[in-house]
Amino acid sequence: MACGWRSVNPLLISLLGVLLLPLFVATWRTSLFGLAGQGFLMAWIAYRMGPQPTLLGEWVTLADLVFVRGLWAPAALYGILRAQNAPAKSDVIPPNLLSWTAALGIVVVAFSFSQVLVPESGEEETLIAVAGAGVLLGFFVLATQSNPFSQMIGALRIENAITLFELGGKHHHEALGLQLGQIAVVIVTVGLYRWYLRMLGTKPGSPASGSTEDVTL
Amino acid sequence: MSSFADIVLPAVTRLGLGARAVRARATAAFLVGVGFAATTAAILLAVGHDRAPMLGGFVRVDATSRLFLAVINPIFLGVSIYVWNRISAAPSLRESMGRFVTLALCFLTAANIVLVANHLLALWIALEVTTLAAAPLVVRSGVRSSQLASWRYLLFSSVGLGLVLLGFLCLGRGIEAHGHAPTFFLNQLPEAVAGVANTWTKLGLGFVLLGLGTKLGLAPMYSWLPETYDEAPPAVTALLAAVQFNCVLAVLFRVVQVYRPGNARLVNGTLVTMGIVSMIVSTLSLVATRNLKRLVAYASINHAGVIAIGLGVGKAASYGLLLYAVSNAFIKAVLFLTAGQIKAHYRTKDTRKISGLLQHLPYSGVFLMIGTFALLGFPPFGSFFGELLILSALVSSRQVLVFSAFCTLITMSFVATGRTIFPMIWGEPKEEHDWPRQTFLSASPKIAFLVVLVVLGIYIPTVVNDLLHRVADSLGGP
């Protein structure tokens, strides 16, 4: 799929927008729409990179991006938050000028670093930059948040960014079994996130509430 | 009618309860049976020979696999026997047995796959499965702190393993950038990466070491470990600390075996730095903690630091490092299972509230005593010789600063651990307890682990010694 790329730069820039928007519009719905948007845009990027998928692995990649990352992951978390009647506002990073500047600074750093990694400027360089920005922004979310939902969003952003990076390589679907294994891992991980979200709720909890009196294995 | 109900209903209830108890015991017996079969197979493989890649090249049994298979499977068997005994002692645990056994068997299968996988992505997937199976096991029903600990374990593991995957992909790009066809097959990698040392490779190695370091509990991303080990049920803690830790270590060995030759400075420098920082933070925490399980958890971080330093020193320390790592697996299994027994009786993890262990719980007192001596690196245990060989390698490689820091930190952790644990063992009992004596069967896994520890220190069987030498040679280094 890496050979014969059609222009994906506009899509990559849109993806960057989808990565940044939920940081500034802080509601849990925006975060989940952001995740869905990442999945769909990555699917579109994968399609543009190999417009006529012939191998089963290429179809599986598209199905993973559309159905697992674009639909299942956000929908699974959405259902729980709706059932819990979670308040609409949900910060992914602290809502202040310093955090917003840091987020934009991270994007600049990612673009500068991609120039070092990919000497020829072009679409590959942009792809690496956007993937790098995705990973770093995911870490930024994780570093600044203590509530489970925001941490889940941070972890899923990192996973999506890694998938985007994988799309640009020549080795990204070496064996169908491995590809299916990776997708199964994502599905089970999101399933577990759903379980934890139901169990823990959206607020950070106090670890001091534990008991040592219970009987355990 | 009433007398009929008086007779029949209790009888039916008793029958139902009896059936549930039998089912729970049968489930636990099944777990022990699988553990026994896996141990037998692992030992047969360990004493056998290497196997060429099979199943499309995705499976390979080499010296590293054989060594670690022979470590993790017996420990799993010991943990299953412990669980079997626990459900006999505490019938309320029987309800959760089905769930525990299912997840534990998933965990064991994935752990074994990690060790025999010949493909970086395959072993990454298997490592993820061990995490996904273990995370729900950390949760104790209704205990909020254990739920949070379990979540943090999953979060850190997901991020750590995400970094590992990103690192593998960068390493693939490094090969690609060098003009070779990218591959993730371990047996093909040495040829593919020969002479490859570019920015992608360095970046990839950095990510892989940071990600695996997170899973091993090395600084900077270690904070999940004390919390998870403390909150998880002791059987699960033993599985994480002794089985999963060694699977991750085996993956680290795989990466070092392939990538050290071209990137020795980066690999060694990163490992030694991570090791020293981990030892510093864990030693300070050891001084401060009064929680038995957290103390052993911090000691685990300390030991992971020692292992990272040993791996970073290079060839001279490789044999000692392996001896230390293998001993460490059995020490942690003994100590966490013993901590579980102690907590089950005293209903506290606060070390200041526990004393007179040798009188109250003679078996647990002896296990804690011997386990602590092994933990602190006393002779005649394998950990002593392992540590000695790592220290001697530090001296011979003229890393005086690392040597001095290592000795200072080991001494501090020795004092901190002894100061907390010894009064528990030999202190005057604060209360009178008359608990039933543990049966030999319930103590048997820990006795077996201690025997292994002593054997590793006194006389290492030739087969095991050859295996240790072969893995040590494969680690390479200056």
Side-chain angles (χ1 to χ4, degrees):
Chain A
M1 224 185 257
C3 306
W5 286 19
R6 276 204 263 158
S7 175
V8 290
N9 256 342
L11 291 173
L12 287 167
I13 299 304
S14 309
L15 182 57
L16 186 64
V18 170
L19 282 172
L20 284 171
L21 187 69
L23 302 181
F24 300 99
V25 186
T27 72
W28 59 263
R29 282 188 176 83
T30 328
S31 295
L32 295 177
F33 278 122
L35 279 185
Q38 287 168 38
F40 293 135
L41 279 170
M42 286 196 299
W44 198 353
I45 290 167
Y47 181 73
R48 297 279 293 200
M49 289 159 103
Q52 286 164 325
T54 46
L55 296 172
L56 186 56
E58 290 174 338
W59 285 109
V60 171
T61 303
L62 288 176
D64 168 33
L65 295 171
V66 173
F67 296 110
V68 178
R69 292 171 197 273
L71 291 173
W72 148 250
L77 302 181
Y78 181 88
I80 299 291
L81 288 171
R82 243 195 109 171
Q84 287 177 345
N85 213 5
K89 194 170 163 14
S90 169
D91 290 320
V92 185
I93 56 171
N96 56 49
L97 203 56
L98 183 69
S99 298
W100 295 329
T101 312
L104 293 175
I106 282 171
V107 175
V108 174
V109 168
F111 271 83
S112 313
F113 193 55
S114 76
Q115 287 172 347
V116 178
L117 287 171
V118 186
E120 312 88 37
S121 63
E123 302 204 314
E124 196 182 357
E125 185 191 321
T126 317
L127 187 139
I128 302 292
V130 176
V135 171
L136 293 174
L137 288 173
F139 271 106
F140 186 46
V141 171
L142 288 177
T144 54
Q145 292 300 313
S146 59
N147 82 71
F149 173 69
S150 300
Q151 290 176 331
M152 284 169 197
I153 293 293
L156 289 171
R157 279 166 160 265
I158 294 174
E159 292 203 7
N160 282 346
I162 294 171
T163 306
L164 176 66
F165 180 72
E166 205 174 350
L167 284 178
K170 283 181 183 162
H171 43 78
H172 69 271
H173 32 241
E174 215 163 348
L176 187 63
L178 290 176
Q179 224 183 329
L180 292 174
Q182 278 181 279
I183 296 170
V185 164
V186 176
I187 292 173
V188 178
T189 303
V190 174
L192 275 176
Y193 283 4
R194 202 178 135 85
W195 185 63
Y196 281 104
L197 197 56
R198 186 181 294 144
M199 195 162 57
L200 299 170
T202 48
K203 293 197 178 76
S206 153
S209 58
S211 159
T212 52
E213 303 299 317
D214 61 322
V215 180
T216 60
L217 277 172
Chain B
M1 185 65 190
S2 161
S3 60
F4 175 76
D6 285 348
I7 296 166
V8 172
L9 282 179
V12 169
T13 313
R14 203 172 296 164
L15 207 66
L17 288 174
R20 187 184 285 179
V22 169
R23 207 175 68 182
R25 278 172 166 271
T27 315
F30 176 68
L31 185 70
V32 174
V34 173
F36 184 75
T39 303
T40 311
I43 290 171
L44 287 175
L45 276 175
V47 299
H49 302 285
D50 291 358
R51 311 276 169 108
M54 50 192 140
L55 298 176
F58 282 94
V59 172
R60 181 181 65 153
V61 181
D62 64 353
T64 308
S65 338
R66 285 161 55 209
L67 176 69
F68 283 100
L69 283 170
V71 172
I72 67 157
N73 286 294
I75 290 175
F76 185 88
L77 175 62
V79 171
S80 12
I81 295 172
Y82 170 88
V83 168
W84 191 19
N85 282 298
R86 278 295 292 148
I87 61 157
S88 306
S92 61
L93 295 171
R94 285 173 190 161
E95 279 178 25
S96 56
M97 264 318 282
R99 178 175 166 273
F100 177 86
V101 169
T102 310
L103 291 171
L105 289 179
C106 279
F107 177 87
L108 176 71
T109 310
N112 280 303
I113 293 174
V114 172
L115 298 179
V116 296
N118 183 39
H119 193 280
L120 286 178
L121 287 184
L123 62 81
W124 178 84
I125 292 169
L127 208 50
E128 273 275 12
V129 175
T130 63
T131 303
L132 297 174
L137 288 175
V138 174
V139 174
R140 289 180 286 143
S141 182
V143 182
R144 172 97 179 155
S145 54
S146 78
Q147 295 166 351
L148 281 168
S150 168
W151 163 241
R152 278 168 67 84
Y153 165 70
L154 181 66
L155 179 69
F156 272 80
S157 296
S158 296
V159 173
L161 289 173
L163 284 176
V164 174
L165 178 62
L166 187 60
F168 286 163
L169 297 173
C170 287
L171 293 174
R173 284 233 177 197
I175 300 172
E176 216 177 296
H178 201 70
H180 294 171
T183 180
F184 286 135
F185 283 100
L186 285 164
N187 61 326
Q188 296 169 8
L189 268 172
E191 200 181 324
V193 302
V196 178
N198 50 33
T199 317
W200 282 113
T201 315
K202 290 189 173 102
L203 190 66
L205 275 173
F207 283 139
V208 171
L209 294 177
L210 186 62
L212 291 176
T214 304
K215 285 295 289 172
L216 290 171
L218 286 170
M221 295 215 282
Y222 67 93
S223 66
W224 64 272
L225 190 143
E227 191 183 352
T228 307
Y229 283 12
D230 180 25
E231 290 295 339
V236 178
T237 311
L239 289 181
L240 294 178
V243 177
Q244 194 181 54
F245 181 93
N246 283 290
C247 290
V248 181
L249 193 60
V251 177
L252 181 60
F253 283 3
R254 301 279 190 212
V255 173
V256 169
Q257 282 161 357
V258 175
Y259 282 95
R260 176 141 66 184
N263 304 274
R265 269 187 73 180
L266 174 73
V267 171
N268 296 350
T270 312
L271 285 170
V272 170
T273 310
M274 284 168 89
I276 284 287
V277 177
S278 305
M279 285 185 77
I280 293 171
V281 292
S282 61
T283 305
L284 295 177
S285 308
L286 274 173
V287 173
T289 191
R290 291 291 175 271
N291 174 325
L292 179 59
K293 280 182 84 186
R294 276 193 188 244
L295 185 128
V296 185
Y298 288 126
S300 302
I301 299 176
N302 203 295
H303 286 195
V306 174
I307 290 169
I309 292 171
L311 198 53
V313 173
K315 208 169 207 163
S318 296
Y319 183 85
L321 146 79
L322 285 168
L323 200 54
Y324 189 84
V326 171
S327 304
N328 198 246
F330 290 97
I331 294 170
K332 284 192 280 191
V334 170
L335 285 176
F336 279 119
L337 294 183
T338 306
Q341 282 286 353
I342 294 170
K343 200 212 98 180
H345 285 84
Y346 286 90
R347 298 294 171 106
T348 180
K349 289 178 275 190
D350 189 338
T351 53
R352 287 165 298 190
K353 293 180 182 164
I354 303 167
S355 63
L357 261 177
L358 281 175
Q359 287 172 44
H360 292 152
L361 296 167
Y363 271 126
S364 295
V366 170
F367 292 140
L368 187 65
M369 181 176 72
I370 301 178
T372 307
F373 284 138
L375 181 84
L376 297 175
F378 272 71
F381 302 103
S383 49
F384 167 73
F385 293 104
E387 218 164 73
L388 208 63
L389 289 169
I390 293 172
L391 281 170
S392 121
L394 278 172
V395 174
S396 60
S397 62
R398 299 180 183 208
Q399 303 204 38
V400 184
L401 265 178
V402 180
F403 175 81
S404 316
F406 190 105
C407 290
T408 312
L409 292 166
I410 283 286
T411 313
M412 280 174 70
S413 62
F414 176 92
V415 173
T417 310
R419 186 192 61 157
T420 310
I421 287 189
F422 292 154
M424 291 171 60
I425 301 169
W426 289 292
E428 280 295 310
K430 288 177 186 158
E431 293 168 31
E432 280 307 311
H433 294 291
D434 190 23
W435 289 311
R437 188 164 282 234
Q438 266 182 275
T439 60
F440 177 77
L441 187 67
S442 70
S444 59
K446 286 169 263 181
I447 294 173
F449 294 159
L450 289 179
V451 169
V452 174
L453 280 172
V454 175
V455 167
L456 283 172
I458 293 175
Y459 169 73
I460 304 175
T462 319
V463 181
V464 181
N465 202 27
D466 288 346
L467 211 50
L468 288 171
H469 274 295
R470 284 197 50 204
V471 181
D473 290 342
S474 74
L475 288 174

